Amino acid sequence: MMAAQSFENLVPRQDPEARLLLLTAKTDLSEDQQSEVQALARQVKDWDFFTETAAHKFSATFAHRHLEHYAPDIPPPEIMEKLKGLSRLTGMATLKVTAAQIAFHKACIETTGAQHAYLKGVALSVQYGRNIADRYSRDVDVLVAEKDFDRVIQKAADIGYRILLEHEPLEYAQSAQDIKFVSRYADVVTLLGADFVPIEVHRRMGKLSLNFNLDQVFETAEPIEVSGVPMRTISKALHLVYVSYHHSRHFWSHLHWLADLDSMIRSSDCRRDEVNELADSIGIRPTIDAAFEFHDLISRPSLWDTIDPALEGGSQFLNACLLNLEGGLELEESLRGGMALGDFMSAWQISPGKYNTFWKNSWFRRLRPTSTQYVKRRYPRFLQWIYYLENASVLMGNGFGRARGRPTKPDQKLPSREASATAADTEGQSS
């Protein structure tokens, strides 16, 4: 496995295949970009790599459309036919997820009257007027207000949804105590219905160090209709801020996220001043600035030759995305091992003066009990305060060891919050 610290020393590919993959991941192309698609397509030598990567990184639909429109006679016919088939599979998979979202909403959100907002995926496509079937989705993400969280989870359990308790080894909640534990402590509860589509119910939007103002999130949530069913999703400005944060946290490892970024930034509803103000209030303005820079680089692959790989901002996002073209989850996890505060590729993504606040948030989040702890030692409710003491002991021990220059012992590692919600985190990469 690649060492996490080696990210800045890795050399991303910049061949015509890579440039064409990122350019054709956009939702729409200008006339200049259409011409560039033709030019790059003529230079491609490995169409199998292009097609397999577009499939693996979920951009086959967009790649097929742009090649069919602007370079139909350049790729081999069998490549175009394969991309066409992959596009159909994308649509079928997403329609299945759409049906699962509607069923969950009617059964668990409407019946409980829960305050909610759907994130990314199908909700994002609907919000921006895109064809749902164009953009691959494999799960559903929904934010539920704290006051309604337990009722939604209990309702789901009552009607037969299985509640994921632990991913490795796979284990589901079996008792009322199990359900109460995840309802009380888990940041994300993953539900599985008969269709096996993961429904990820979030009580917060950040992972460790980042806190979003949830009162503001729900107050500004926008109405949408999914196949005639009314729902709510987060505001367009917040969606752009959240997607920029979330996808950079995953090192831009999937190409359909570029389509999301493109549709949001190119939308007539995108107001940069509103987005900047929101990013400033959260404390991640550099991340948002980098996302806009990244979008510009995606749109103009001819600029890549002039990029200094040591630079921060959009160029680092681009390099991360390019590095991930040839890797899967193992590569991403190795890169994520060196993240700042468990939330950021690099510390420069945090607004000046906010790092200490984010560090404190991260420290306190790590005190909370995890499902990993609970599965190992199922304390009853009245003893679950012990989990906090266990985590505090490990955190202080690790900090003391680092202060003395002593490496942390393997058995002193704090149960990872990502490990306790692996399904929600790794599955959510496809959202």
Side-chain angles (χ1 to χ4, degrees):
M1 179 182 289
M2 188 181 308
Q5 294 78 8
S6 65
F7 169 67
E8 279 126 9
N9 299 322
L10 296 173
V11 179
R13 62 186 298 157
Q14 293 193 10
D15 51 30
E17 288 83 352
R19 294 174 191 247
L20 187 61
L21 278 164
L22 268 63
L23 182 59
T24 57
K26 287 167 54 71
T27 49
D28 293 290
L29 302 176
S30 67
E31 288 187 10
D32 289 343
Q33 290 160 0
Q34 294 166 19
S35 299
E36 192 154 12
V37 165
Q38 294 178 5
L40 288 171
R42 291 190 181 97
Q43 299 173 49
V44 169
K45 297 178 180 178
D46 191 347
W47 280 108
D48 287 332
F49 169 78
F50 178 91
T51 305
E52 290 167 7
T53 305
H56 184 55
K57 300 297 181 179
F58 311 125
S59 66
T61 300
F62 304 108
H64 175 258
R65 176 183 300 152
H66 295 319
L67 289 172
E68 185 178 49
H69 287 174
Y70 311 121
D73 300 324
I74 298 176
E78 62 271 18
I79 292 296
M80 293 300 293
E81 193 62 30
K82 189 171 183 179
L83 285 170
K84 183 178 181 181
L86 290 167
S87 298
R88 289 173 177 165
L89 290 175
T90 294
M92 292 171 61
T94 301
L95 290 175
K96 179 181 178 181
V97 171
T98 304
Q101 180 166 327
I102 292 170
F104 168 79
H105 185 83
K106 287 183 174 181
C108 300
I109 300 296
E110 282 187 358
T111 58
T112 60
Q115 194 172 27
H116 70 282
Y118 287 90
L119 313 170
K120 304 177 293 166
V122 170
L124 183 59
S125 293
V126 172
Q127 185 178 38
Y128 280 89
R130 288 160 45 183
N131 185 344
I132 290 175
D134 286 349
R135 194 260 191 212
Y136 178 79
S137 295
R138 71 160 311 280
D139 56 17
V140 176
D141 292 278
V142 59
L143 180 71
V144 171
E146 186 67 36
K147 63 183 177 63
D148 302 317
F149 200 85
D150 182 71
R151 286 190 296 119
V152 169
I153 300 305
Q154 189 60 58
K155 178 64 177 181
D158 291 344
I159 63 175
Y161 280 93
R162 289 181 295 168
I163 300 174
L164 187 67
L165 191 61
E166 185 61 59
H167 188 66
E168 292 181 358
L170 190 64
E171 186 168 345
Y172 297 98
Q174 300 293 333
S175 66
Q177 178 177 302
D178 292 349
I179 296 171
K180 287 296 183 183
F181 178 87
V182 294
S183 294
R184 187 181 187 194
Y185 294 113
D187 289 338
V188 184
V189 177
T190 302
L191 310 173
L192 284 177
D195 53 13
F196 296 100
V197 173
I199 309 290
E200 298 178 1
V201 185
H202 299 248
R203 67 168 9 109
R204 61 194 307 269
M205 291 172 63
K207 287 294 180 181
L208 288 173
S209 64
L210 191 59
N211 285 331
F212 288 80
N213 183 334
L214 296 187
D215 289 337
Q216 182 183 23
V217 170
F218 289 120
E219 286 173 7
T220 60
E222 300 176 2
I224 57 172
E225 283 193 6
V226 179
S227 297
V229 178
M231 306 177 187
R232 298 185 74 80
T233 187
I234 58 178
S235 71
K236 288 182 177 177
L238 181 58
H239 234 148
L240 177 51
V241 171
Y242 178 66
V243 159
S244 300
Y245 151 72
H246 179 272
H247 296 342
S248 65
R249 187 177 181 275
H250 287 288
F251 289 79
W252 296 97
S253 57
H254 292 327
L255 294 179
H256 64 332
W257 294 341
L258 309 191
D260 292 342
L261 188 66
D262 185 56
S263 21
M264 288 188 285
I265 288 179
R266 292 179 65 259
S267 169
S268 59
D269 292 328
C270 181
R271 295 175 176 82
R272 184 69 185 268
D273 56 346
E274 181 183 359
V275 173
N276 288 347
E277 183 179 355
L278 185 55
D280 283 333
S281 69
I282 296 170
I284 55 170
R285 173 69 177 274
T287 299
I288 306 312
D289 290 341
F292 277 86
E293 294 167 9
F294 178 39
H295 176 258
D296 191 44
L297 290 169
I298 295 163
S299 304
R300 296 195 287 169
S302 57
L303 294 178
W304 298 3
D305 295 326
T306 63
I307 292 175
D308 180 351
L311 291 178
E312 299 174 348
S315 62
Q316 193 172 106
F317 284 7
L318 174 65
N319 285 352
C321 182
L322 291 170
L323 286 171
N324 274 286
L325 289 179
E326 298 182 275
L329 182 58
E330 183 180 2
L331 171 61
E332 184 192 329
E333 287 185 341
S334 73
L335 296 175
R336 288 174 62 194
M339 294 179 73
L341 304 179
D343 269 326
F344 301 98
M345 287 169 50
S346 301
W348 61 258
Q349 290 182 246
I350 303 169
S351 297
K354 293 286 188 177
Y355 189 90
N356 286 341
T357 298
F358 279 36
W359 180 87
K360 291 174 184 176
N361 292 340
S362 178
W363 201 91
F364 283 114
R365 291 304 303 174
R366 293 176 193 275
L367 288 175
R368 287 176 61 84
T370 68
S371 297
T372 300
Q373 280 180 295
Y374 177 75
V375 168
K376 290 180 178 178
R377 295 172 297 279
R378 278 181 164 84
Y379 295 139
R381 171 70 180 270
F382 71 93
L383 289 178
Q384 288 175 1
W385 55 270
I386 296 175
Y387 296 131
Y388 286 96
L389 294 182
E390 292 174 349
N391 291 343
S393 176
V394 173
L395 279 171
M396 289 187 290
N398 287 351
F400 180 73
R402 284 192 297 271
R404 292 176 62 90
R406 185 176 67 242
T408 302
K409 296 179 182 178
D411 61 353
Q412 285 182 306
K413 290 181 180 177
L414 184 70
S416 166
R417 189 159 302 280
E418 279 103 2
S420 69
T422 299
D425 206 22
T426 59
E427 301 291 4
Q429 294 172 55
S430 302
S431 295

